[in-house]
Amino acid sequence: MAMDIDQGKTELHHLLQAGDDKGLKEYLANIQPADMAEILQQLTVTRRWQVLEAMEVDVAARTIENVEYEVQHEILTSLPKPLATCILSHMSEDDLADMLGEVSLHQAEEILALIPQDAQVLRKLMQYPENTAGGLMTTEVVAVKQDDSISEATEKLRKMGPKAETIYYLYATNEKNQLVGVISLRQLVFSPPHLKVQDIATTNVISVPADTHQEQVAKLFGKYDLLALPVVDHDSKLLGIVTVDDVIDVIVEETTEDISRMGGQEPLDEPYLSASVLRLVSKRIWWLLILFVAQSITVNLLSFFENALQAVIALTFFIPLLIGTAGNAGSQAATLVVRAMALGEVAVKDFLAIIVRESKVGVILGSILAAITFVWTQLLGGSPAIGYTVGLSIFVIVIVASVIGAFLPLLAKKLRFDPAVASAPLITTLTDSSGLLIYFTIAKLIFKL
Amino acid sequence: MAMDIDQGKTELHHLLQAGDDKGLKEYLANIQPADMAEILQQLTVTRRWQVLEAMEVDVAARTIENVEYEVQHEILTSLPKPLATCILSHMSEDDLADMLGEVSLHQAEEILALIPQDAQVLRKLMQYPENTAGGLMTTEVVAVKQDDSISEATEKLRKMGPKAETIYYLYATNEKNQLVGVISLRQLVFSPPHLKVQDIATTNVISVPADTHQEQVAKLFGKYDLLALPVVDHDSKLLGIVTVDDVIDVIVEETTEDISRMGGQEPLDEPYLSASVLRLVSKRIWWLLILFVAQSITVNLLSFFENALQAVIALTFFIPLLIGTAGNAGSQAATLVVRAMALGEVAVKDFLAIIVRESKVGVILGSILAAITFVWTQLLGGSPAIGYTVGLSIFVIVIVASVIGAFLPLLAKKLRFDPAVASAPLITTLTDSSGLLIYFTIAKLIFKL
């Protein structure tokens, strides 16, 4: 069961106030680091000390890893130096490098000064962009030589195990440190100790260069059901590994990015309720302005058709309905294509097949809506001419909008933008103008204006 | 490196045509099951036989698990019975249960008849809804007794290991089969063999009841960095485990569901290009119709304001711009709230805080757009009255739309719908009517109509 944070916090307060050391130890032994991290962030500086000092150092390190980066730095620099150093040296290298990348340069140096022995490796890790395999990886990996015996490999595992990020895979390298194979702990446990690593290693290892984008890394984990993925340099030398827990965070991050873009705004990189109002405005105003300017074309379009509008005022009544439906049809098509691209089902080269499908779908959807519209206008007592105009317009508009909706994400991809920028707001803005043009062209023909 | 499927297929064809058995074995030993599965789906029935027969049965089982469910059934029933039975008995129970749940009842019985020894467990697993912890779990878990010694536990692991879904966690139960602890393979490897399981087990195990929704399961994996999560019944008895590879698939599935809903349509559960045109229509027509009917209110609204329109025809020109901007502002707010709810940053109880924030953001966004609009209409030579009307309208409209956009996902959640149904299309449809009402009310006041 996941725990109730508020209840856990109250319990901890009671234990600290009562000075119940035994109770505190027991409490700390039984709480998950992720839960403890949430509680820790809400404590005063002195209380944090007390708690972290009472913890096993390993647990303290896991807890700090789960705290937000800014707060991690704040906690670590407020602790007595020996305690901070001890916790830092037990933290995972990849989490540490992520934190150092997030805080200011000065703050990072403060931390690095506490752990000079790890500073070099950390500085190297900090150089990889955070959204790449290099930015996600840790170098704390169990590497063995391909001509090691199983018992030698087991010995290395015992030595490096407590420090390694995962002990479930051991990576085999050759004399040039190039990655040549992988053995799972499962294989190691079930193999006779006199065999060599190369006798049991899987040589067909999936690995990625350090500059691989995290979205690609996540796709490989999904496709091949990986628990860890080795990262290599351009000479196939083993640099480190990415583990599945970091990849789950990546998938969630990439997804919310897509969702934000589809809502017509840039992704927000902090919690909604803690972002300032001005920050929310700054993430939204640009798209809103761009769309506003693009949509101002409709003002010119309508003033161009002023005479037609003056002659048949009823034409006005259907404007929001027609352009609204165009936007909806376009958004549906765009969403389907964005989703299919994200899942790897379609690529830009399927362009023609997609456009053909959307035209067909558009013809059917358009026919249904056109028939309903015609009957409805007649029941409301509209003239047959209005019925024909609006019905025919909606038929053409739905087809055009479906095609535009499907085309836009493909175009974005081709131009190396995120396909998700082909959002409902953008589509709506584009289909508005085309919808009005279609509507008034048909109206002029039918009403002979 | 991930492989090139087309190239792999050509290579396989050459090997099969040449009858190069040694080459084939080597090829099969070096290909990833997920890649082989893609190639297998494109082969003829006879070729599939040949390939599966040449494989190690374990690899054949992993390969079939990666094939689409419908094709899994097709392949398995087209194989000679002994080969099919052998592969089936090496497949993971959870994958098998998923497949049986997807095919028809008759097809499932055909498969179950081949593996009578597993039929009972599979039938039980098939009863859990597929989007719950029970639907995701496998019963192939290494369970040990809490008073077993480490060496007894290791022995159990050796016996059950080859069949278990993961050997990285061993679950400790008491005499009533209730889950009381967990030990990792890491702990097992590093512990003295004479200790008891209960001496080293972590007793604070995170577990879930079988009816937990998969979205909740995924959240726990993300928060606690789990590799596996035990599933229990309401008496805390251990039923099975969910593993991280299945959870990655869940996260991807839940995401694309959200994205589909946000585009105003029901999720499509098959690849875009292989779904029939009619199926695409059926997933889209209902939302399109509902929105169409909702939007038809705008027709009545505008005919109600016919006199105002006739008096000042220029009012018409700004209709698409105003309602379009309302839709965009509303979509932005909705997306932010949907995303914040998905990340667990906000809940329905934060209702008031969210509405207050969105009002503030709306005031700023609205002021900026109103100022631009006023200047722009004056530059274009519009009357000051038109400038005031349109400017003031956009100010009010953006505020109202931001609040509606933020409110709708919260309402959906409260009513136990997926918040993602508060999609851009739905928001647009609602903000259209409110936008027109605001616009014409302001116009009537300013123009004294």
Short mmCIF file of all heavy atoms in Angstrom, two decimals, chain A residues 273-293:
data_model
loop_
_atom_site.label_atom_id
_atom_site.label_comp_id
_atom_site.label_asym_id
_atom_site.label_seq_id
_atom_site.Cartn_x
_atom_site.Cartn_y
_atom_site.Cartn_z
N LEU A 273 0.64 24.63 -9.76
CA LEU A 273 0.25 25.52 -8.67
C LEU A 273 1.42 26.31 -8.10
O LEU A 273 1.23 27.31 -7.42
CB LEU A 273 -0.46 24.75 -7.55
CG LEU A 273 -1.90 24.35 -7.85
CD1 LEU A 273 -2.47 23.55 -6.69
CD2 LEU A 273 -2.77 25.58 -8.10
N SER A 274 2.68 25.87 -8.37
CA SER A 274 3.79 26.63 -7.82
C SER A 274 4.40 27.58 -8.86
O SER A 274 5.24 28.41 -8.53
CB SER A 274 4.85 25.71 -7.21
OG SER A 274 5.31 24.80 -8.15
N ALA A 275 3.96 27.47 -10.13
CA ALA A 275 4.44 28.41 -11.14
C ALA A 275 3.76 29.77 -10.91
O ALA A 275 2.59 29.81 -10.56
CB ALA A 275 4.11 27.89 -12.53
N SER A 276 4.50 30.85 -11.12
CA SER A 276 3.89 32.17 -10.91
C SER A 276 2.93 32.47 -12.05
O SER A 276 3.03 31.90 -13.13
CB SER A 276 4.97 33.24 -10.85
OG SER A 276 5.47 33.47 -12.15
N VAL A 277 1.98 33.38 -11.79
CA VAL A 277 1.00 33.75 -12.81
C VAL A 277 1.70 34.30 -14.05
O VAL A 277 1.35 33.96 -15.18
CB VAL A 277 0.00 34.78 -12.23
CG1 VAL A 277 -0.84 35.39 -13.33
CG2 VAL A 277 -0.91 34.09 -11.20
N LEU A 278 2.74 35.10 -13.83
CA LEU A 278 3.46 35.68 -14.98
C LEU A 278 4.13 34.61 -15.82
O LEU A 278 4.22 34.71 -17.04
CB LEU A 278 4.49 36.71 -14.51
CG LEU A 278 3.88 38.06 -14.14
CD1 LEU A 278 4.96 39.03 -13.70
CD2 LEU A 278 3.12 38.64 -15.35
N ARG A 279 4.61 33.55 -15.14
CA ARG A 279 5.25 32.45 -15.86
C ARG A 279 4.22 31.72 -16.71
O ARG A 279 4.49 31.34 -17.84
CB ARG A 279 5.87 31.50 -14.83
CG ARG A 279 6.72 30.47 -15.45
CD ARG A 279 7.89 30.05 -14.56
NE ARG A 279 8.54 28.95 -15.22
CZ ARG A 279 9.32 29.11 -16.27
NH1 ARG A 279 9.58 30.31 -16.72
NH2 ARG A 279 9.85 28.05 -16.86
N LEU A 280 3.03 31.53 -16.17
CA LEU A 280 1.96 30.90 -16.92
C LEU A 280 1.61 31.76 -18.14
O LEU A 280 1.42 31.24 -19.24
CB LEU A 280 0.70 30.72 -16.05
CG LEU A 280 0.79 29.67 -14.95
CD1 LEU A 280 -0.48 29.66 -14.10
CD2 LEU A 280 0.98 28.28 -15.55
N VAL A 281 1.55 33.07 -17.92
CA VAL A 281 1.25 33.98 -19.03
C VAL A 281 2.33 33.84 -20.11
O VAL A 281 2.02 33.73 -21.29
CB VAL A 281 1.16 35.44 -18.53
CG1 VAL A 281 1.12 36.40 -19.70
CG2 VAL A 281 -0.07 35.62 -17.65
N SER A 282 3.60 33.82 -19.69
CA SER A 282 4.69 33.81 -20.67
C SER A 282 4.69 32.52 -21.49
O SER A 282 5.12 32.51 -22.64
CB SER A 282 6.04 34.00 -19.98
OG SER A 282 6.41 32.79 -19.35
N LYS A 283 4.21 31.40 -20.90
CA LYS A 283 4.16 30.14 -21.64
C LYS A 283 3.02 30.15 -22.65
O LYS A 283 2.96 29.32 -23.54
CB LYS A 283 3.95 28.97 -20.68
CG LYS A 283 5.16 28.64 -19.83
CD LYS A 283 6.18 27.86 -20.63
CE LYS A 283 7.43 27.65 -19.80
NZ LYS A 283 8.48 26.98 -20.56
N ARG A 284 2.03 31.05 -22.45
CA ARG A 284 0.82 30.99 -23.26
C ARG A 284 0.66 32.12 -24.24
O ARG A 284 0.06 31.96 -25.29
CB ARG A 284 -0.40 30.93 -22.32
CG ARG A 284 -0.52 29.57 -21.66
CD ARG A 284 -1.16 29.63 -20.31
NE ARG A 284 -2.59 29.82 -20.40
CZ ARG A 284 -3.41 29.64 -19.36
NH1 ARG A 284 -2.92 29.25 -18.19
NH2 ARG A 284 -4.69 29.81 -19.50
N ILE A 285 1.19 33.32 -23.88
CA ILE A 285 0.89 34.50 -24.68
C ILE A 285 1.40 34.38 -26.11
O ILE A 285 0.75 34.83 -27.05
CB ILE A 285 1.42 35.79 -23.99
CG1 ILE A 285 0.96 37.05 -24.75
CG2 ILE A 285 2.93 35.78 -23.88
CD1 ILE A 285 -0.51 37.31 -24.65
N TRP A 286 2.56 33.74 -26.33
CA TRP A 286 3.14 33.74 -27.67
C TRP A 286 2.31 32.97 -28.66
O TRP A 286 1.98 33.47 -29.74
CB TRP A 286 4.59 33.24 -27.63
CG TRP A 286 5.39 34.13 -26.75
CD1 TRP A 286 5.94 33.82 -25.54
CD2 TRP A 286 5.64 35.53 -26.96
NE1 TRP A 286 6.52 34.93 -24.99
CE2 TRP A 286 6.36 35.99 -25.83
CE3 TRP A 286 5.33 36.43 -27.97
CZ2 TRP A 286 6.77 37.31 -25.71
CZ3 TRP A 286 5.75 37.75 -27.85
CH2 TRP A 286 6.46 38.18 -26.73
N TRP A 287 1.93 31.77 -28.27
CA TRP A 287 1.06 30.99 -29.16
C TRP A 287 -0.27 31.71 -29.39
O TRP A 287 -0.79 31.77 -30.49
CB TRP A 287 0.77 29.61 -28.54
CG TRP A 287 1.62 28.54 -29.12
CD1 TRP A 287 2.60 27.85 -28.49
CD2 TRP A 287 1.58 28.03 -30.46
NE1 TRP A 287 3.18 26.96 -29.33
CE2 TRP A 287 2.57 27.04 -30.55
CE3 TRP A 287 0.81 28.32 -31.58
CZ2 TRP A 287 2.81 26.33 -31.73
CZ3 TRP A 287 1.04 27.61 -32.76
CH2 TRP A 287 2.03 26.65 -32.81
N LEU A 288 -0.79 32.28 -28.31
CA LEU A 288 -2.08 32.96 -28.41
C LEU A 288 -1.98 34.13 -29.38
O LEU A 288 -2.87 34.35 -30.22
CB LEU A 288 -2.47 33.47 -27.01
CG LEU A 288 -3.95 33.46 -26.65
CD1 LEU A 288 -4.59 32.13 -26.92
CD2 LEU A 288 -4.14 33.82 -25.18
N LEU A 289 -0.85 34.86 -29.33
CA LEU A 289 -0.64 36.00 -30.23
C LEU A 289 -0.48 35.55 -31.67
O LEU A 289 -1.07 36.13 -32.58
CB LEU A 289 0.60 36.79 -29.80
CG LEU A 289 0.37 37.87 -28.75
CD1 LEU A 289 1.70 38.53 -28.40
CD2 LEU A 289 -0.62 38.90 -29.29
N ILE A 290 0.34 34.52 -31.86
CA ILE A 290 0.58 34.02 -33.22
C ILE A 290 -0.75 33.58 -33.85
O ILE A 290 -1.07 33.93 -34.98
CB ILE A 290 1.57 32.83 -33.20
CG1 ILE A 290 2.95 33.33 -32.78
CG2 ILE A 290 1.63 32.14 -34.56
CD1 ILE A 290 3.94 32.21 -32.47
N LEU A 291 -1.53 32.83 -33.08
CA LEU A 291 -2.81 32.35 -33.59
C LEU A 291 -3.75 33.52 -33.84
O LEU A 291 -4.50 33.54 -34.81
CB LEU A 291 -3.44 31.38 -32.59
CG LEU A 291 -2.67 30.08 -32.37
CD1 LEU A 291 -3.27 29.28 -31.22
CD2 LEU A 291 -2.65 29.23 -33.64
N PHE A 292 -3.69 34.53 -32.97
CA PHE A 292 -4.55 35.70 -33.10
C PHE A 292 -4.25 36.43 -34.41
O PHE A 292 -5.15 36.79 -35.16
CB PHE A 292 -4.30 36.62 -31.90
CG PHE A 292 -5.20 37.82 -31.84
CD1 PHE A 292 -6.49 37.71 -31.35
CD2 PHE A 292 -4.75 39.06 -32.27
CE1 PHE A 292 -7.31 38.81 -31.28
CE2 PHE A 292 -5.57 40.17 -32.20
CZ PHE A 292 -6.86 40.04 -31.71
N VAL A 293 -2.96 36.61 -34.66
CA VAL A 293 -2.56 37.30 -35.89
C VAL A 293 -2.99 36.47 -37.11
O VAL A 293 -3.56 36.99 -38.07
CB VAL A 293 -1.03 37.55 -35.90
CG1 VAL A 293 -0.57 38.05 -37.26
CG2 VAL A 293 -0.67 38.54 -34.80
#
